[in-house]
Amino acid sequence: MIELDTVGHGEPLVLLHGVGANRGIWRNVIDPIAAERLVLAPDLPGFGDSPPVGAGFRLHEIAGALADVLSEHVTEPFDLVGNSLGGAVALILALQRPELVHRLVLVAPAGFSPRPRLVADALGRLSDPMIVFRRLLGNPLTSSGIGRRLLLWGTIAAPQQLSAQDARRMLQASRGASRVGAAVAAVLAADLRSELARLDLPLGLIWGERDRIVPIATLQSILAVRPEVVVETIPDAAHVPQLERPAEFVAALRSVLDRL
């Protein structure tokens, strides 16, 4: 059973989180979005409170399971927003079930800088212990700006400016995750450019200009396939702009959806 939060009323909008996170990563933006929309934020299978689906982390299998659950909760096409790993899953879901999706917005999506399978698998195997180590030993470090910089470099543009509460929230978002390594391996090996070319839906992109996890240079690979895509960038944000710059993220999302 996939766990999800539903907040608000109106046109539905679905938010998919990234690796090492859960649906709580959207906490800072859900209320302003839900003032106008019905927001659905699930935990991806194998993350948060959602049990795994199948063995490992197969993007098509995960997307299918999410589509089945979401179709039970909404009766009209929804706008679909995916961050990082969630962006890769969102793209596959939109291709599998285009009748469910109105507009697609990818936030620093993974899956467009493929690594050799052996490299992807090796990095995946390293990810699980690293996530656990950071969560278990990182909490004391979140109390200082220097500690937050050490813990969140690359993921957050200015970790020392992030509140200790939000830093702890990021660390604890991986609690319950059982498919971090498999998901990292799957998305690092993926090359979704051919899937992107087949997509027949309005498409937008949001990117933090200081992202070091999925660098903004990746945007050029996407524009080479879909030059008409609507793009918004957030100057002082990195890989998780919805947590780091929530007001700017909400404004960027509204702008992209309006232009689509």
Side-chain angles (χ1 to χ4, degrees), residues 180-215:
V180 171
V184 167
V187 81
L188 284 178
D191 185 351
L192 300 179
R193 285 173 291 185
S194 60
E195 283 82 356
L196 189 70
R198 293 191 289 111
L199 183 73
D200 189 22
L201 288 169
L203 175 64
L205 289 171
I206 298 174
W207 227 295
E209 293 182 4
R210 296 173 63 184
D211 192 341
R212 292 183 177 89
I213 306 300
V214 182

PDB file of all heavy atoms in Angstrom, residues 180-215:
ATOM      1  N   VAL A 180      17.069   2.709  -1.268  1.00  0.00           N
ATOM      2  CA  VAL A 180      17.930   3.822  -1.680  1.00  0.00           C
ATOM      3  C   VAL A 180      18.972   3.356  -2.681  1.00  0.00           C
ATOM      4  O   VAL A 180      19.109   3.902  -3.777  1.00  0.00           O
ATOM      5  CB  VAL A 180      18.608   4.480  -0.465  1.00  0.00           C
ATOM      6  CG1 VAL A 180      19.663   5.487  -0.926  1.00  0.00           C
ATOM      7  CG2 VAL A 180      17.581   5.175   0.413  1.00  0.00           C
ATOM      8  N   GLY A 181      19.736   2.325  -2.322  1.00  0.00           N
ATOM      9  CA  GLY A 181      20.805   1.856  -3.202  1.00  0.00           C
ATOM     10  C   GLY A 181      20.280   1.388  -4.545  1.00  0.00           C
ATOM     11  O   GLY A 181      20.845   1.709  -5.604  1.00  0.00           O
ATOM     12  N   ALA A 182      19.195   0.624  -4.529  1.00  0.00           N
ATOM     13  CA  ALA A 182      18.620   0.129  -5.785  1.00  0.00           C
ATOM     14  C   ALA A 182      18.108   1.278  -6.644  1.00  0.00           C
ATOM     15  O   ALA A 182      18.261   1.266  -7.878  1.00  0.00           O
ATOM     16  CB  ALA A 182      17.484  -0.855  -5.485  1.00  0.00           C
ATOM     17  N   ALA A 183      17.504   2.284  -6.014  1.00  0.00           N
ATOM     18  CA  ALA A 183      16.991   3.424  -6.765  1.00  0.00           C
ATOM     19  C   ALA A 183      18.128   4.245  -7.359  1.00  0.00           C
ATOM     20  O   ALA A 183      18.063   4.683  -8.512  1.00  0.00           O
ATOM     21  CB  ALA A 183      16.120   4.299  -5.862  1.00  0.00           C
ATOM     22  N   VAL A 184      19.195   4.466  -6.577  1.00  0.00           N
ATOM     23  CA  VAL A 184      20.352   5.212  -7.079  1.00  0.00           C
ATOM     24  C   VAL A 184      20.955   4.489  -8.287  1.00  0.00           C
ATOM     25  O   VAL A 184      21.236   5.105  -9.323  1.00  0.00           O
ATOM     26  CB  VAL A 184      21.405   5.390  -5.972  1.00  0.00           C
ATOM     27  CG1 VAL A 184      22.730   5.880  -6.550  1.00  0.00           C
ATOM     28  CG2 VAL A 184      20.894   6.378  -4.920  1.00  0.00           C
ATOM     29  N   ALA A 185      21.148   3.189  -8.170  1.00  0.00           N
ATOM     30  CA  ALA A 185      21.722   2.412  -9.278  1.00  0.00           C
ATOM     31  C   ALA A 185      20.832   2.489 -10.515  1.00  0.00           C
ATOM     32  O   ALA A 185      21.321   2.672 -11.641  1.00  0.00           O
ATOM     33  CB  ALA A 185      21.925   0.960  -8.854  1.00  0.00           C
ATOM     34  N   ALA A 186      19.528   2.353 -10.316  1.00  0.00           N
ATOM     35  CA  ALA A 186      18.609   2.358 -11.451  1.00  0.00           C
ATOM     36  C   ALA A 186      18.612   3.689 -12.184  1.00  0.00           C
ATOM     37  O   ALA A 186      18.672   3.740 -13.427  1.00  0.00           O
ATOM     38  CB  ALA A 186      17.197   2.025 -10.975  1.00  0.00           C
ATOM     39  N   VAL A 187      18.576   4.782 -11.438  1.00  0.00           N
ATOM     40  CA  VAL A 187      18.444   6.074 -12.083  1.00  0.00           C
ATOM     41  C   VAL A 187      19.781   6.560 -12.657  1.00  0.00           C
ATOM     42  O   VAL A 187      19.808   7.285 -13.663  1.00  0.00           O
ATOM     43  CB  VAL A 187      17.820   7.087 -11.110  1.00  0.00           C
ATOM     44  CG1 VAL A 187      18.836   7.660 -10.144  1.00  0.00           C
ATOM     45  CG2 VAL A 187      17.061   8.167 -11.837  1.00  0.00           C
ATOM     46  N   LEU A 188      20.899   6.147 -12.041  1.00  0.00           N
ATOM     47  CA  LEU A 188      22.203   6.521 -12.599  1.00  0.00           C
ATOM     48  C   LEU A 188      22.473   5.818 -13.921  1.00  0.00           C
ATOM     49  O   LEU A 188      23.155   6.351 -14.794  1.00  0.00           O
ATOM     50  CB  LEU A 188      23.317   6.200 -11.603  1.00  0.00           C
ATOM     51  CG  LEU A 188      23.468   7.145 -10.414  1.00  0.00           C
ATOM     52  CD1 LEU A 188      24.592   6.659  -9.502  1.00  0.00           C
ATOM     53  CD2 LEU A 188      23.739   8.570 -10.862  1.00  0.00           C
ATOM     54  N   ALA A 189      21.960   4.612 -14.067  1.00  0.00           N
ATOM     55  CA  ALA A 189      22.175   3.859 -15.311  1.00  0.00           C
ATOM     56  C   ALA A 189      21.180   4.243 -16.399  1.00  0.00           C
ATOM     57  O   ALA A 189      21.380   3.913 -17.573  1.00  0.00           O
ATOM     58  CB  ALA A 189      22.089   2.358 -15.035  1.00  0.00           C
ATOM     59  N   ALA A 190      20.104   4.937 -16.021  1.00  0.00           N
ATOM     60  CA  ALA A 190      19.033   5.228 -16.970  1.00  0.00           C
ATOM     61  C   ALA A 190      19.415   6.337 -17.945  1.00  0.00           C
ATOM     62  O   ALA A 190      20.118   7.287 -17.590  1.00  0.00           O
ATOM     63  CB  ALA A 190      17.771   5.618 -16.210  1.00  0.00           C
ATOM     64  N   ASP A 191      18.941   6.198 -19.162  1.00  0.00           N
ATOM     65  CA  ASP A 191      19.038   7.260 -20.163  1.00  0.00           C
ATOM     66  C   ASP A 191      17.628   7.472 -20.706  1.00  0.00           C
ATOM     67  O   ASP A 191      17.147   6.716 -21.543  1.00  0.00           O
ATOM     68  CB  ASP A 191      19.993   6.877 -21.286  1.00  0.00           C
ATOM     69  CG  ASP A 191      20.214   8.017 -22.276  1.00  0.00           C
ATOM     70  OD1 ASP A 191      19.499   9.036 -22.173  1.00  0.00           O
ATOM     71  OD2 ASP A 191      21.100   7.893 -23.144  1.00  0.00           O
ATOM     72  N   LEU A 192      16.967   8.489 -20.201  1.00  0.00           N
ATOM     73  CA  LEU A 192      15.550   8.696 -20.489  1.00  0.00           C
ATOM     74  C   LEU A 192      15.304   9.658 -21.647  1.00  0.00           C
ATOM     75  O   LEU A 192      14.168  10.099 -21.854  1.00  0.00           O
ATOM     76  CB  LEU A 192      14.847   9.220 -19.231  1.00  0.00           C
ATOM     77  CG  LEU A 192      14.906   8.300 -18.001  1.00  0.00           C
ATOM     78  CD1 LEU A 192      14.193   8.943 -16.823  1.00  0.00           C
ATOM     79  CD2 LEU A 192      14.306   6.940 -18.314  1.00  0.00           C
ATOM     80  N   ARG A 193      16.340   9.954 -22.410  1.00  0.00           N
ATOM     81  CA  ARG A 193      16.158  10.898 -23.512  1.00  0.00           C
ATOM     82  C   ARG A 193      15.207  10.368 -24.579  1.00  0.00           C
ATOM     83  O   ARG A 193      14.409  11.131 -25.144  1.00  0.00           O
ATOM     84  CB  ARG A 193      17.511  11.267 -24.116  1.00  0.00           C
ATOM     85  CG  ARG A 193      18.317  12.223 -23.235  1.00  0.00           C
ATOM     86  CD  ARG A 193      19.714  12.460 -23.757  1.00  0.00           C
ATOM     87  NE  ARG A 193      20.543  11.261 -23.640  1.00  0.00           N
ATOM     88  CZ  ARG A 193      21.832  11.228 -23.928  1.00  0.00           C
ATOM     89  NH1 ARG A 193      22.440  12.327 -24.367  1.00  0.00           N
ATOM     90  NH2 ARG A 193      22.527  10.114 -23.789  1.00  0.00           N
ATOM     91  N   SER A 194      15.249   9.083 -24.869  1.00  0.00           N
ATOM     92  CA  SER A 194      14.322   8.536 -25.868  1.00  0.00           C
ATOM     93  C   SER A 194      12.893   8.573 -25.347  1.00  0.00           C
ATOM     94  O   SER A 194      11.946   8.845 -26.107  1.00  0.00           O
ATOM     95  CB  SER A 194      14.720   7.105 -26.246  1.00  0.00           C
ATOM     96  OG  SER A 194      14.694   6.250 -25.114  1.00  0.00           O
ATOM     97  N   GLU A 195      12.705   8.306 -24.045  1.00  0.00           N
ATOM     98  CA  GLU A 195      11.371   8.415 -23.452  1.00  0.00           C
ATOM     99  C   GLU A 195      10.873   9.863 -23.506  1.00  0.00           C
ATOM    100  O   GLU A 195       9.714  10.125 -23.809  1.00  0.00           O
ATOM    101  CB  GLU A 195      11.388   7.929 -21.996  1.00  0.00           C
ATOM    102  CG  GLU A 195      11.419   6.426 -21.833  1.00  0.00           C
ATOM    103  CD  GLU A 195      12.816   5.829 -21.971  1.00  0.00           C
ATOM    104  OE1 GLU A 195      13.766   6.600 -22.270  1.00  0.00           O
ATOM    105  OE2 GLU A 195      12.948   4.613 -21.790  1.00  0.00           O
ATOM    106  N   LEU A 196      11.779  10.797 -23.235  1.00  0.00           N
ATOM    107  CA  LEU A 196      11.414  12.212 -23.277  1.00  0.00           C
ATOM    108  C   LEU A 196      10.948  12.608 -24.681  1.00  0.00           C
ATOM    109  O   LEU A 196       9.994  13.366 -24.843  1.00  0.00           O
ATOM    110  CB  LEU A 196      12.613  13.064 -22.864  1.00  0.00           C
ATOM    111  CG  LEU A 196      12.349  14.552 -22.651  1.00  0.00           C
ATOM    112  CD1 LEU A 196      11.515  14.773 -21.393  1.00  0.00           C
ATOM    113  CD2 LEU A 196      13.666  15.312 -22.553  1.00  0.00           C
ATOM    114  N   ALA A 197      11.624  12.073 -25.693  1.00  0.00           N
ATOM    115  CA  ALA A 197      11.270  12.398 -27.077  1.00  0.00           C
ATOM    116  C   ALA A 197       9.875  11.897 -27.430  1.00  0.00           C
ATOM    117  O   ALA A 197       9.189  12.480 -28.280  1.00  0.00           O
ATOM    118  CB  ALA A 197      12.309  11.799 -28.029  1.00  0.00           C
ATOM    119  N   ARG A 198       9.435  10.816 -26.779  1.00  0.00           N
ATOM    120  CA  ARG A 198       8.126  10.229 -27.081  1.00  0.00           C
ATOM    121  C   ARG A 198       6.993  10.869 -26.295  1.00  0.00           C
ATOM    122  O   ARG A 198       5.823  10.603 -26.560  1.00  0.00           O
ATOM    123  CB  ARG A 198       8.147   8.725 -26.788  1.00  0.00           C
ATOM    124  CG  ARG A 198       9.043   7.932 -27.704  1.00  0.00           C
ATOM    125  CD  ARG A 198       8.837   6.431 -27.559  1.00  0.00           C
ATOM    126  NE  ARG A 198       9.349   5.904 -26.308  1.00  0.00           N
ATOM    127  CZ  ARG A 198       8.597   5.441 -25.318  1.00  0.00           C
ATOM    128  NH1 ARG A 198       7.277   5.456 -25.412  1.00  0.00           N
ATOM    129  NH2 ARG A 198       9.150   4.955 -24.220  1.00  0.00           N
ATOM    130  N   LEU A 199       7.322  11.688 -25.323  1.00  0.00           N
ATOM    131  CA  LEU A 199       6.300  12.277 -24.471  1.00  0.00           C
ATOM    132  C   LEU A 199       5.431  13.247 -25.262  1.00  0.00           C
ATOM    133  O   LEU A 199       5.932  14.147 -25.928  1.00  0.00           O
ATOM    134  CB  LEU A 199       6.958  13.022 -23.305  1.00  0.00           C
ATOM    135  CG  LEU A 199       6.007  13.641 -22.286  1.00  0.00           C
ATOM    136  CD1 LEU A 199       5.365  12.561 -21.426  1.00  0.00           C
ATOM    137  CD2 LEU A 199       6.753  14.650 -21.420  1.00  0.00           C
ATOM    138  N   ASP A 200       4.118  13.089 -25.172  1.00  0.00           N
ATOM    139  CA  ASP A 200       3.190  13.954 -25.892  1.00  0.00           C
ATOM    140  C   ASP A 200       2.312  14.708 -24.897  1.00  0.00           C
ATOM    141  O   ASP A 200       1.087  14.621 -24.918  1.00  0.00           O
ATOM    142  CB  ASP A 200       2.323  13.112 -26.842  1.00  0.00           C
ATOM    143  CG  ASP A 200       1.486  13.986 -27.771  1.00  0.00           C
ATOM    144  OD1 ASP A 200       1.865  15.149 -27.976  1.00  0.00           O
ATOM    145  OD2 ASP A 200       0.443  13.505 -28.268  1.00  0.00           O
ATOM    146  N   LEU A 201       2.980  15.415 -23.988  1.00  0.00           N
ATOM    147  CA  LEU A 201       2.290  16.197 -22.968  1.00  0.00           C
ATOM    148  C   LEU A 201       3.027  17.516 -22.763  1.00  0.00           C
ATOM    149  O   LEU A 201       4.232  17.605 -23.029  1.00  0.00           O
ATOM    150  CB  LEU A 201       2.278  15.445 -21.626  1.00  0.00           C
ATOM    151  CG  LEU A 201       1.372  14.220 -21.487  1.00  0.00           C
ATOM    152  CD1 LEU A 201       1.707  13.478 -20.196  1.00  0.00           C
ATOM    153  CD2 LEU A 201      -0.091  14.626 -21.500  1.00  0.00           C
ATOM    154  N   PRO A 202       2.333  18.556 -22.299  1.00  0.00           N
ATOM    155  CA  PRO A 202       3.033  19.812 -21.965  1.00  0.00           C
ATOM    156  C   PRO A 202       4.094  19.559 -20.894  1.00  0.00           C
ATOM    157  O   PRO A 202       3.820  18.900 -19.880  1.00  0.00           O
ATOM    158  CB  PRO A 202       1.915  20.706 -21.435  1.00  0.00           C
ATOM    159  CG  PRO A 202       0.656  20.148 -22.020  1.00  0.00           C
ATOM    160  CD  PRO A 202       0.875  18.668 -22.100  1.00  0.00           C
ATOM    161  N   LEU A 203       5.296  20.084 -21.126  1.00  0.00           N
ATOM    162  CA  LEU A 203       6.436  19.765 -20.270  1.00  0.00           C
ATOM    163  C   LEU A 203       7.126  21.030 -19.779  1.00  0.00           C
ATOM    164  O   LEU A 203       7.428  21.934 -20.563  1.00  0.00           O
ATOM    165  CB  LEU A 203       7.441  18.910 -21.046  1.00  0.00           C
ATOM    166  CG  LEU A 203       8.764  18.576 -20.363  1.00  0.00           C
ATOM    167  CD1 LEU A 203       8.526  17.710 -19.119  1.00  0.00           C
ATOM    168  CD2 LEU A 203       9.709  17.876 -21.329  1.00  0.00           C
ATOM    169  N   GLY A 204       7.387  21.079 -18.476  1.00  0.00           N
ATOM    170  CA  GLY A 204       8.135  22.180 -17.887  1.00  0.00           C
ATOM    171  C   GLY A 204       9.278  21.676 -17.033  1.00  0.00           C
ATOM    172  O   GLY A 204       9.287  20.518 -16.596  1.00  0.00           O
ATOM    173  N   LEU A 205      10.250  22.540 -16.790  1.00  0.00           N
ATOM    174  CA  LEU A 205      11.422  22.209 -15.973  1.00  0.00           C
ATOM    175  C   LEU A 205      11.676  23.304 -14.952  1.00  0.00           C
ATOM    176  O   LEU A 205      11.527  24.493 -15.256  1.00  0.00           O
ATOM    177  CB  LEU A 205      12.667  22.061 -16.847  1.00  0.00           C
ATOM    178  CG  LEU A 205      12.778  20.848 -17.767  1.00  0.00           C
ATOM    179  CD1 LEU A 205      13.963  21.016 -18.694  1.00  0.00           C
ATOM    180  CD2 LEU A 205      12.922  19.581 -16.947  1.00  0.00           C
ATOM    181  N   ILE A 206      12.062  22.896 -13.751  1.00  0.00           N
ATOM    182  CA  ILE A 206      12.531  23.823 -12.719  1.00  0.00           C
ATOM    183  C   ILE A 206      13.890  23.334 -12.248  1.00  0.00           C
ATOM    184  O   ILE A 206      14.060  22.132 -12.003  1.00  0.00           O
ATOM    185  CB  ILE A 206      11.546  23.894 -11.532  1.00  0.00           C
ATOM    186  CG1 ILE A 206      10.182  24.406 -11.988  1.00  0.00           C
ATOM    187  CG2 ILE A 206      12.102  24.773 -10.421  1.00  0.00           C
ATOM    188  CD1 ILE A 206       9.111  24.365 -10.910  1.00  0.00           C
ATOM    189  N   TRP A 207      14.849  24.256 -12.117  1.00  0.00           N
ATOM    190  CA  TRP A 207      16.198  23.855 -11.728  1.00  0.00           C
ATOM    191  C   TRP A 207      16.821  24.890 -10.797  1.00  0.00           C
ATOM    192  O   TRP A 207      16.717  26.098 -11.044  1.00  0.00           O
ATOM    193  CB  TRP A 207      17.085  23.717 -12.961  1.00  0.00           C
ATOM    194  CG  TRP A 207      17.900  22.452 -12.980  1.00  0.00           C
ATOM    195  CD1 TRP A 207      18.890  22.082 -12.123  1.00  0.00           C
ATOM    196  CD2 TRP A 207      17.742  21.370 -13.917  1.00  0.00           C
ATOM    197  NE1 TRP A 207      19.383  20.840 -12.464  1.00  0.00           N
ATOM    198  CE2 TRP A 207      18.695  20.375 -13.557  1.00  0.00           C
ATOM    199  CE3 TRP A 207      16.922  21.152 -15.008  1.00  0.00           C
ATOM    200  CZ2 TRP A 207      18.837  19.188 -14.259  1.00  0.00           C
ATOM    201  CZ3 TRP A 207      17.065  19.966 -15.710  1.00  0.00           C
ATOM    202  CH2 TRP A 207      18.012  18.994 -15.332  1.00  0.00           C
ATOM    203  N   GLY A 208      17.454  24.431  -9.746  1.00  0.00           N
ATOM    204  CA  GLY A 208      18.273  25.302  -8.924  1.00  0.00           C
ATOM    205  C   GLY A 208      19.613  25.522  -9.601  1.00  0.00           C
ATOM    206  O   GLY A 208      20.291  24.565  -9.990  1.00  0.00           O
ATOM    207  N   GLU A 209      20.004  26.771  -9.743  1.00  0.00           N
ATOM    208  CA  GLU A 209      21.212  27.073 -10.516  1.00  0.00           C
ATOM    209  C   GLU A 209      22.491  26.605  -9.830  1.00  0.00           C
ATOM    210  O   GLU A 209      23.533  26.481 -10.479  1.00  0.00           O
ATOM    211  CB  GLU A 209      21.289  28.575 -10.796  1.00  0.00           C
ATOM    212  CG  GLU A 209      20.186  29.057 -11.736  1.00  0.00           C
ATOM    213  CD  GLU A 209      20.293  30.538 -12.060  1.00  0.00           C
ATOM    214  OE1 GLU A 209      21.272  31.187 -11.612  1.00  0.00           O
ATOM    215  OE2 GLU A 209      19.394  31.054 -12.758  1.00  0.00           O
ATOM    216  N   ARG A 210      22.419  26.289  -8.526  1.00  0.00           N
ATOM    217  CA  ARG A 210      23.622  25.853  -7.807  1.00  0.00           C
ATOM    218  C   ARG A 210      23.563  24.364  -7.448  1.00  0.00           C
ATOM    219  O   ARG A 210      24.227  23.912  -6.529  1.00  0.00           O
ATOM    220  CB  ARG A 210      23.807  26.721  -6.564  1.00  0.00           C
ATOM    221  CG  ARG A 210      24.065  28.194  -6.914  1.00  0.00           C
ATOM    222  CD  ARG A 210      24.075  29.092  -5.690  1.00  0.00           C
ATOM    223  NE  ARG A 210      25.154  28.746  -4.772  1.00  0.00           N
ATOM    224  CZ  ARG A 210      25.334  29.322  -3.588  1.00  0.00           C
ATOM    225  NH1 ARG A 210      24.489  30.271  -3.183  1.00  0.00           N
ATOM    226  NH2 ARG A 210      26.317  28.953  -2.800  1.00  0.00           N
ATOM    227  N   ASP A 211      22.780  23.628  -8.214  1.00  0.00           N
ATOM    228  CA  ASP A 211      22.633  22.181  -7.994  1.00  0.00           C
ATOM    229  C   ASP A 211      23.933  21.469  -8.370  1.00  0.00           C
ATOM    230  O   ASP A 211      24.419  21.602  -9.486  1.00  0.00           O
ATOM    231  CB  ASP A 211      21.479  21.663  -8.856  1.00  0.00           C
ATOM    232  CG  ASP A 211      21.057  20.240  -8.501  1.00  0.00           C
ATOM    233  OD1 ASP A 211      21.847  19.528  -7.866  1.00  0.00           O
ATOM    234  OD2 ASP A 211      19.941  19.865  -8.878  1.00  0.00           O
ATOM    235  N   ARG A 212      24.497  20.696  -7.445  1.00  0.00           N
ATOM    236  CA  ARG A 212      25.691  19.912  -7.735  1.00  0.00           C
ATOM    237  C   ARG A 212      25.376  18.417  -7.782  1.00  0.00           C
ATOM    238  O   ARG A 212      26.246  17.618  -8.093  1.00  0.00           O
ATOM    239  CB  ARG A 212      26.772  20.183  -6.671  1.00  0.00           C
ATOM    240  CG  ARG A 212      27.338  21.598  -6.721  1.00  0.00           C
ATOM    241  CD  ARG A 212      28.444  21.788  -5.700  1.00  0.00           C
ATOM    242  NE  ARG A 212      29.039  23.106  -5.782  1.00  0.00           N
ATOM    243  CZ  ARG A 212      28.598  24.173  -5.122  1.00  0.00           C
ATOM    244  NH1 ARG A 212      27.545  24.061  -4.340  1.00  0.00           N
ATOM    245  NH2 ARG A 212      29.201  25.341  -5.237  1.00  0.00           N
ATOM    246  N   ILE A 213      24.142  18.036  -7.470  1.00  0.00           N
ATOM    247  CA  ILE A 213      23.746  16.631  -7.536  1.00  0.00           C
ATOM    248  C   ILE A 213      23.339  16.277  -8.961  1.00  0.00           C
ATOM    249  O   ILE A 213      23.843  15.306  -9.551  1.00  0.00           O
ATOM    250  CB  ILE A 213      22.594  16.339  -6.559  1.00  0.00           C
ATOM    251  CG1 ILE A 213      22.970  16.782  -5.135  1.00  0.00           C
ATOM    252  CG2 ILE A 213      22.217  14.859  -6.591  1.00  0.00           C
ATOM    253  CD1 ILE A 213      24.189  16.087  -4.573  1.00  0.00           C
ATOM    254  N   VAL A 214      22.428  17.043  -9.522  1.00  0.00           N
ATOM    255  CA  VAL A 214      22.097  16.957 -10.950  1.00  0.00           C
ATOM    256  C   VAL A 214      22.335  18.354 -11.507  1.00  0.00           C
ATOM    257  O   VAL A 214      21.439  19.194 -11.519  1.00  0.00           O
ATOM    258  CB  VAL A 214      20.640  16.508 -11.183  1.00  0.00           C
ATOM    259  CG1 VAL A 214      20.353  16.384 -12.679  1.00  0.00           C
ATOM    260  CG2 VAL A 214      20.358  15.169 -10.491  1.00  0.00           C
ATOM    261  N   PRO A 215      23.558  18.631 -11.956  1.00  0.00           N
ATOM    262  CA  PRO A 215      23.932  20.001 -12.339  1.00  0.00           C
ATOM    263  C   PRO A 215      23.018  20.578 -13.410  1.00  0.00           C
ATOM    264  O   PRO A 215      22.486  19.860 -14.263  1.00  0.00           O
ATOM    265  CB  PRO A 215      25.360  19.839 -12.859  1.00  0.00           C
ATOM    266  CG  PRO A 215      25.870  18.591 -12.207  1.00  0.00           C
ATOM    267  CD  PRO A 215      24.676  17.689 -12.092  1.00  0.00           C
TER     268      PRO A 215
END
